[in-house]
Amino acid sequence: MSGSSWTSWPSREGLERDAESPARRALTLIGRTVLLVTVGWGTYSRGGYAGWGLVAAAAGLAAAVLSAAAFLRVSRAQLLRPALLLAAALICGAWLAEWGRAYMLADFVWGGLAVTALVRLPAVPALATAAAAFGCYTAASWESRLAIAATVGGLALLGYLLRLDTEARGTARLLLTQERAARAAEAESAALAERARIAREIHDVLAHSLSAQLVHLEAARLMLDAGTDREQVRERVVAARRMALDGLGETRQALSALRGEFTPVGEFLVELTGRERAVLSVTGTPRPLPAEAGLAVRRTAQEALTNVRKHAPGARCTLELRYLPDVVELEVRNARPGRGEPAGGLAATGSGYGLLGMRERAELLGGTLLAGPDEGGWRVLLRVPA
């Protein structure tokens, strides 16, 4: 044993009653009841007690029971000084019982105290208490030395085994508590991750659909201010309405994505580039993508085209989807912004988290996302395992 193990208390968790199974608690209660009945019967069955002697014997038995219960309580609370004082009181009380010819009561007190001390006290006080109790039993016993040695050895082994059992139950209880805490932390982390995913989906849908509507509504406002023909203004309003309908469709797709339901990535990009008047090219052999990788490609394409619409209206935009071994790449490029397009205040709209969200989505999948200027335009390159 190390130095600390000699003076440290046994695991308190192993002594807690709720750490025991119902069957174990029932057996403990039955055992204590049988022990009390046996001690009482062995004390009074021999006779010789009458009058005040009987009262003294009953009082002594009650005092022993109360002292033992108090010793169990303070040792469970790990109070060393009260426990040692009660142990000394029990040893002295057992000598009084021996003097009063209550031999069985005295033997049970000494033996029970030794076993309980070995189970509940730190190693050094436990050994000292057990040695004192066994010494008193040996000095008072009329049995042969072999019988005394067998009794002392058996009780010492029992106390040692019970102490090991207590430590094992305490360790198991601590591990169970740690496991429950780890599961709770894991569940909380999963909930936070799911909230972040939902937040990204909401941002992607709103940024894509609402900014598209804002482009046409801003253009319509500028046309009205300039006195443009009503039919042209009407075209812009109709386009904004169409974008609102598309936004509803994208919202439904986002809800389907959150449920794990996806349309093929290729079909989605064809529809998206058709609405945005972008050029799509596919290299490599198309194959089904994992759900998260496919969602990353979709959202990156949406966000990139939304940024083109906001920051470079009228610019020529190309998308290239590359199916490579073990990875898939999406490259979105746009040229210099066109002239004469009604950008208005669109470049200042949005939360500013679109690029950050794309990068976080890629990194969560073990991929990368690069974005930056490219020959006067802008380039976004997504690379994720798939």
Side-chain angles (χ1 to χ4, degrees):
M1 289 187 179
S2 62
S4 60
S5 63
W6 286 100
T7 57
S8 60
W9 287 84
S11 174
R12 177 179 292 180
E13 288 77 7
L15 297 176
E16 296 293 336
R17 297 300 302 274
D18 56 354
E20 299 178 350
S21 63
R24 188 185 184 93
R25 287 198 294 269
L27 288 176
T28 300
L29 179 61
I30 293 173
R32 290 177 180 178
T33 303
V34 170
L35 180 62
L36 183 61
V37 171
T38 301
V39 172
W41 175 260
T43 300
Y44 297 110
S45 62
R46 296 181 180 180
Y49 295 103
W52 289 107
L54 181 61
V55 173
L61 180 60
V65 172
L66 293 177
S67 299
F71 179 79
L72 293 176
R73 182 177 295 275
V74 297
S75 61
R76 182 183 291 116
Q78 297 186 349
L79 302 175
L80 183 58
R81 182 173 297 180
L84 294 179
L85 291 176
L86 286 169
L90 285 170
I91 290 176
C92 294
W95 275 114
L96 290 176
E98 182 75 15
W99 177 74
R101 294 180 299 171
Y103 307 120
M104 181 175 289
L105 176 60
D107 292 344
F108 267 102
V109 169
W110 284 323
L113 175 62
V115 172
T116 305
L118 290 174
V119 174
R120 292 172 174 264
L121 297 182
V124 171
L127 292 175
T129 302
F134 284 141
C136 293
Y137 167 76
T138 301
S141 179
W142 295 347
E143 302 290 337
S144 64
R145 292 185 177 180
L146 180 61
I148 293 174
T151 301
V152 171
L155 290 178
L157 179 61
L158 176 63
Y160 176 70
L161 294 177
L162 289 177
R163 186 185 184 94
L164 292 181
D165 178 67
T166 300
E167 292 288 354
R169 285 190 288 118
T171 302
R173 185 177 175 84
L174 285 175
L175 291 176
L176 179 60
T177 302
Q178 294 174 359
E179 182 181 359
R180 288 175 178 174
R183 288 181 179 178
E186 182 179 356
E188 183 179 357
S189 177
L192 292 175
E194 183 65 14
R195 290 175 187 172
R197 186 168 80 98
I198 293 173
R200 285 195 299 269
E201 297 302 318
I202 293 174
H203 170 270
D204 293 341
V205 171
L206 293 179
H208 180 68
S209 61
L210 294 182
S211 63
Q213 299 172 47
L214 189 57
V215 166
H216 293 286
L217 292 176
E218 181 71 6
R221 183 186 67 82
L222 294 175
M223 288 179 178
L224 288 173
D225 292 343
T228 308
D229 182 67
R230 179 178 178 181
E231 187 61 28
Q232 295 181 9
V233 177
R234 182 179 181 277
E235 289 179 2
R236 290 292 185 174
V237 174
V238 170
R241 177 180 179 275
R242 184 176 65 253
M243 289 297 178
L245 294 176
D246 292 340
L248 290 176
E250 291 179 8
T251 302
R252 296 189 185 97
Q253 290 182 359
L255 293 176
S256 298
L258 289 173
R259 299 189 189 102
E261 304 167 0
F262 298 97
T263 57
V265 171
E267 296 180 10
F268 176 82
L269 292 180
V270 169
E271 296 176 2
L272 180 63
T273 53
R275 291 196 305 266
E276 300 294 335
R277 298 180 182 179
V279 179
L280 172 66
S281 62
V282 179
T283 60
T285 304
R287 62 179 182 271
L289 301 180
E292 290 297 329
L295 186 59
V297 171
R298 295 162 185 262
R299 294 301 180 237
T300 301
Q302 281 185 318
E303 185 66 31
L305 291 178
T306 296
N307 289 338
V308 171
R309 187 190 314 119
K310 290 167 58 177
H311 302 283
R316 183 176 181 274
C317 186
T318 61
L319 280 79
E320 184 176 359
L321 180 63
R322 307 187 190 103
Y323 290 95
L324 305 176
D326 301 324
V327 297
V328 63
E329 290 184 352
L330 175 68
E331 186 176 37
V332 183
R333 291 174 178 266
N334 66 273
R336 293 177 181 273
R339 295 182 178 180
E341 290 292 333
L346 294 180
T349 62
S351 62
Y353 293 109
L355 185 61
L356 177 61
M358 288 191 293
R359 184 170 288 110
E360 287 179 350
R361 189 188 295 275
E363 291 175 353
L364 286 174
L365 299 178
T368 58
L369 185 134
L370 303 176
D374 179 63
E375 298 180 358
W378 193 264
R379 172 177 175 264
V380 175
L381 176 62
L382 170 71
R383 181 183 176 91
V384 291

